Amino acid sequence: MNELLFDRALVARERAHAPYSGFKVGAALRTESGEVYFGANVENVAFPNGWCAETSAIAQMIAGASSAPGRRIAMVCVVADRVDGGIVCTPCGGCRQRLKEFAGPDLVVHCMDPEGKGESFTLGELLPAAFAVERF
């Protein structure tokens, strides 16, 4: 697991806007060109108009990267509390599909708790039958 991504995701998690659920999430990604972007979840009282940490990080990447390699995700780290008796928090279905837009099935997604313990998955494991241009 990449220490820099974990640290950035942890910082983003602390800055999350989660006044309704209290469930803070941070995400950081590294592009193929080596740039690092991070984001936090942002809740909205008009549920479901908030957005996820992964979505925030992807938006930062799009705003900051002008080249194709700068818009291809090479690695992701998501930091959140564990759920349902100790299960690591993985990206939601929508975020899995958003990650797929900018990465292949071999993308490594590190899902960590704030103490730095967790599991890693490939995007292919998390989203085995993703919508993709190749499928249409």
Side-chain angles (χ1 to χ4, degrees), residues 4 14 41 44 52 58 61 63 100 106 121-122 125-126:
L4 175 62
E14 289 307 312
N41 61 318
N44 187 293
C52 300
I58 291 168
M61 176 188 72
K100 172 64 177 117
D106 57 341
F121 305 90
T122 65
E125 292 171 321
L126 293 172

Side-chain angles (χ1 to χ4, degrees), residues 19 39-40 52 59 62 64-65 68 73 77 79 106 119-120:
C52 300
I62 294 302
I73 301 171
C77 180
V79 176
D106 57 341
E119 298 177 54
S120 298

Side-chain angles (χ1 to χ4, degrees), residues 50-96:
W51 57 89
C52 300
E54 299 89 336
T55 300
S56 295
I58 291 168
Q60 291 293 320
M61 176 188 72
I62 294 302
S66 59
S67 68
R71 290 182 169 201
R72 293 294 299 168
I73 301 171
M75 185 182 297
V76 176
C77 180
V78 179
V79 176
D81 288 331
R82 291 176 179 261
V83 297
D84 298 329
I87 299 170
V88 294
C89 182
T90 59
C92 72
C95 284
R96 293 174 191 199

Side-chain angles (χ1 to χ4, degrees), residues 10 63 101-102 122:
L10 191 61
E101 187 73 16
F102 302 99
T122 65

